[in-house]
Amino acid sequence: MSKPIFVGLLGLGTVGSGVVKIIENHQERLMHQVGCPVQVKKILVRNIYKQRDVRVDPSLLTTDVTDVIDDPEIDVIIEVMGGIEETRQYLLRALRQGKHVVTANKDLMALYGSELLAVAAENHCDLFFEASVAGGIPILRSLVEGLASDRITKMMGIVNGTTNYILTKMCKYGASYEEVLAEAQALGYAEADPTADVEGLDAARKMAILARLGFSMNIDLEDVQVKGITSITEEDLNYSKRLGYTMKLIGIAQRDGNKVEVSVQPTLLPDSHPLASVNDEYNAVYVYGEAVGETMFYGPGAGSLPTATAVVSDLVAVMKNMRLGVNGCNAVAPQYEKQLKSPSEIFSKYFLRIRVKDQVGAFAKITTLFSERGVSFEKILQLPLKEDGLAEIVIVTHRASQKDYEEILQQLRDLEIVHEVKSSYRVEGEGKA
Amino acid sequence: MSKPIFVGLLGLGTVGSGVVKIIENHQERLMHQVGCPVQVKKILVRNIYKQRDVRVDPSLLTTDVTDVIDDPEIDVIIEVMGGIEETRQYLLRALRQGKHVVTANKDLMALYGSELLAVAAENHCDLFFEASVAGGIPILRSLVEGLASDRITKMMGIVNGTTNYILTKMCKYGASYEEVLAEAQALGYAEADPTADVEGLDAARKMAILARLGFSMNIDLEDVQVKGITSITEEDLNYSKRLGYTMKLIGIAQRDGNKVEVSVQPTLLPDSHPLASVNDEYNAVYVYGEAVGETMFYGPGAGSLPTATAVVSDLVAVMKNMRLGVNGCNAVAPQYEKQLKSPSEIFSKYFLRIRVKDQVGAFAKITTLFSERGVSFEKILQLPLKEDGLAEIVIVTHRASQKDYEEILQQLRDLEIVHEVKSSYRVEGEGKA
């Protein structure tokens, strides 16, 4: 029988325990896939004596990270401990010693993915991170393998479960953001400090990872334009409903020629758009390839079992590559130089809600601002006077550059007749895409 | 450098040409994935002198199949010639000589998949057929690999592009089946003889393949209950719209305990169901796993480029397995004994449209038939009298067994007050699933 492959685990929380269980329970299956046995040799934990929901031989546990990452017999490090700076040092050290790495750590990969991938490539090591983006969806592997012979032009999706849960409930029950957030926290769908989710940061990290892989460029977190969902009001949702739209927090990574844009923003989608019916805590990612066309992956965004399953899939891929002698070859290190679009190269439709003073010619002044820049309207909703004597106007524009649109917004705010720009959102995808 | 892997191709139509192009253009990439070169050694064609849209060394072409399947140097046979009986013989002969097989032939796999898989297993050969079901969606690989540590309980999807195109247009434009079919034929979305598509047979083949793989049972085409879309009327679509449903041709493969059901039927889905917004020629398959929960794959159902891409992905998997020495291990041969549900074990909601004579107590007689079998109503629509003095009643039932429902249908037809049972459809998936 072939020599076993030895694995070292950093972390033994719910995901780590899941990984240990799957490796134990599927030993024969793994053997059949890879052609040799696999064995967990050392596990880094904080507390050796803690009660756990998985039975582990106590001699495998250690509180000293060097027992894991410096063990010459260990071939693959699985990182499920979380954290950024310390974890980064551990993984760099492991890679430099020629160990392959599987990680579920999206914060780390979003911030230091470019560095880690470069060091992995230098050392002919695999660095896989399927579990870092929507664990229940095999999206990264599909980008790398299935669509390998294709050129990806756009990825668009719902990649954060918490915000999708909140927006779904707001739309469905007409409840306010604050009410739904409180309920989501009570149910455990949102964390006590929800900032990373509701400000769009978690989604931005995932989009950076997707864009880096899909476009093979060193996209960093700071390259992602981010806007969260905290200022979305029930009124915004009511107006969008009347116009036939559903509000979602949408990440978009798009390539035109050699230039790319990556963003996460609350976005209005036509009700008939497939992403409009992705509800609750589910995630879905559209991928547009030049050859294959439109494909979509839909599934649970998180959860310890989907995440552990994704980690083990990565482990299997590493082990196969070891036996094939092709580690580090799977072009995951960025191949193209990063070129970001400028605001004049990013195009979109926009939804805009403004309150204006009820004066003769007010509407003409507004439309002039748009027409001067060649931006026309697709839909207009002019609403009856409110008690305060202000009229409300809702506009959906045709496609405009971000630069033009932002300048128009600024000029609108400066107009004497404009009382307030209430809200403004991106509008995407007419028809099926 | 490692010894190359030699491939023999049966067929050089659009898919075959695509395969040749991808292998040529991605030689370096393939080398990096597999660790050795790959080379097409012989190609079976009908006419060596035919003009083709791919450049091939003429010495590779042959009209004698034995040049391909009996060549001891050839390791892998790629079958993209279509056909059933003859093709089956070729592939059996290739497998018995220890050659691995990749096929895009869904007709063959639906009819003889069980036999071919058994012979492949006996000879420790791989037999992969990703391209046979929705080429643009890596669904089979995901079933086998990604969800390997999971138990699949249900697969449900739109797996035929032609019928989905027809139903989408009928719903959208209120056009009749005949009009839309004629248009689809003119545009090349439907074949001159559309029988296999519109009678649900093509979808049934794919569901048999999915069920066999997902449940690891010898599901055959004859185990699939099939109903096509030819009798769907504009009235049916109008009524379902009023009740908040969208009509789709839906394949369902479901396992409860050790028993399974597989069917393809026109089915009403709530408008909010994700499959309800899969439009035009697109396909989508939901997979429910005990561990991972709900995942969905969406993409183009056919097309020569997606199909060729799927074939090459399979080829890469075979070659990796060859180098790993694990061919034939990837439990694709059915492991469980097939147990089909009886009609009393298959449950569903139903939509029913009947015309009744306007007599006192007519409605009571009808409801009695249902209540005697414990079947209650979820929705009822009683419509004004028509000119012919008949009243129309539309009923959506709560869940009932197929046996009970069919007996009720029979008794309804026998009732003197019932003029006609106009139509009856399955209703699936409230909420998100």
Side-chain angles (χ1 to χ4, degrees), chain A residues 111-392:
Chain A
L111 283 171
Y112 296 108
S114 301
E115 178 192 25
L116 287 163
L117 284 167
V119 174
E122 275 165 30
N123 293 278
H124 309 288
C125 286
D126 284 336
L127 168 59
F128 290 159
F129 42 99
E130 183 71 65
S132 67
V133 180
I137 313 178
I139 174 76
L140 301 188
R141 174 148 308 117
S142 299
L143 286 181
V144 173
E145 278 178 27
L147 304 172
S149 53
D150 201 354
R151 184 178 154 94
I152 292 161
T153 54
K154 186 172 180 179
M155 290 165 282
M156 168 170 167
I158 295 169
V159 292
N160 178 272
T162 304
T163 48
N164 202 45
Y165 177 87
I166 292 174
L167 289 177
T168 303
K169 297 297 176 211
M170 283 177 72
C171 282
K172 202 162 173 184
Y173 303 114
S176 73
Y177 168 73
E178 289 77 13
E179 285 173 290
V180 180
L181 174 61
E183 188 209 319
Q185 285 172 320
L187 291 170
Y189 288 129
E191 295 187 45
D193 176 2
T195 315
D197 289 320
V198 299
E199 296 296 354
L201 194 62
D202 177 86
R205 288 179 189 133
K206 292 170 184 163
M207 291 310 298
I209 294 172
L210 282 175
R212 187 186 291 140
L213 209 59
F215 299 151
S216 204
M217 285 183 196
N218 266 326
I219 306 289
D220 294 310
L221 185 55
E222 66 206 44
D223 300 323
V224 185
Q225 292 192 27
V226 191
K227 193 179 149 192
I229 66 162
T230 55
S231 57
I232 297 173
T233 65
E234 296 147 79
E235 278 185 308
D236 290 334
L237 296 180
N238 285 337
Y239 286 124
S240 34
K241 219 177 259 180
R242 281 176 65 171
L243 292 166
Y245 293 114
T246 302
M247 177 87 75
K248 294 287 179 190
L249 183 66
I250 296 289
I252 293 183
Q254 185 161 342
R255 162 158 65 185
D256 293 288
N258 295 321
K259 292 201 167 180
V260 301
E261 58 174 283
V262 190
S263 64
V264 170
Q265 287 175 39
T267 303
L268 297 179
L269 302 172
D271 293 337
S272 60
H273 192 284
L275 288 177
S277 56
V278 173
N279 286 324
D280 301 323
E281 72 279 21
Y282 278 84
N283 284 194
V285 180
Y286 261 75
V287 179
Y288 302 79
E290 277 176 5
V292 169
E294 201 178 305
T295 53
M296 183 174 95
F297 302 85
Y298 166 99
S304 55
L305 210 48
T307 306
T309 306
V311 166
V312 175
S313 296
D314 273 351
L315 173 63
V316 168
V318 170
M319 295 191 299
K320 281 189 176 182
N321 285 350
M322 285 175 66
R323 305 233 322 134
L324 294 166
V326 296
N327 296 103
C329 293
N330 226 332
V332 282
Q335 297 179 296
Y336 303 106
E337 205 192 332
K338 174 172 73 185
Q339 287 187 278
L340 297 175
K341 290 190 197 172
S342 72
S344 64
E345 295 169 308
I346 297 174
F347 288 84
S348 173
K349 297 182 183 187
Y350 292 95
F351 166 103
L352 174 68
R353 187 156 76 85
I354 47 183
R355 294 190 137 194
V356 299
K357 293 175 188 159
D358 185 37
Q359 288 177 5
V360 176
F363 195 68
K365 280 190 189 150
I366 293 167
T367 53
T368 304
L369 279 189
F370 283 87
S371 63
E372 278 173 0
R373 293 179 190 267
V375 178
S376 55
F377 297 164
E378 184 177 296
K379 291 174 186 168
I380 298 172
L381 208 63
Q382 178 144 18
L383 294 133
L385 280 185
K386 303 247 164 180
E387 306 89 63
D388 53 10
L390 296 172
E392 195 149 305

Side-chain angles (χ1 to χ4, degrees), chain A residues 35-53:
Chain A
C36 73
V38 52
Q39 201 176 311
V40 175
K41 200 185 168 207
K42 273 289 170 196
I43 306 174
L44 176 71
V45 294
R46 280 218 197 89
N47 176 355
I48 290 185
Y49 306 103
K50 192 179 150 187
Q51 193 72 30
R52 297 171 202 282
D53 67 346

Side-chain angles (χ1 to χ4, degrees), chain B residues 190-209:
Chain B
E191 296 186 43
D193 176 2
T195 315
D197 289 319
V198 299
E199 296 297 353
L201 195 61
D202 176 86
R205 288 180 189 132
K206 292 170 183 163
M207 290 309 298
I209 294 173

Side-chain angles (χ1 to χ4, degrees), chain A residues 26 29 32-33 35 136 144 146 148-149 274 277 282 291-292 294-300 305 309 320 323-324 326 329 432, chain B residues 26 29 32 35 136 144 146 148-149 274 277 282 291-292 294-300 305 309 320 323-324 326 329 432:
Chain A
H26 296 80
R29 222 200 126 71
H32 276 168
Q33 287 186 277
V144 173
S149 53
S277 56
Y282 278 84
V292 169
E294 201 178 305
T295 53
M296 183 174 95
F297 302 85
Y298 166 99
L305 210 48
T309 306
K320 281 189 176 182
R323 305 233 322 134
L324 294 166
V326 296
C329 293
K432 68 176 186 258
Chain B
H26 296 80
R29 222 200 127 70
H32 276 167
V144 173
S149 53
S277 55
Y282 277 85
V292 169
E294 200 177 308
T295 53
M296 183 174 96
F297 302 85
Y298 166 99
L305 210 48
T309 306
K320 282 188 176 182
R323 305 234 322 132
L324 294 167
V326 296
C329 293
K432 67 175 186 260

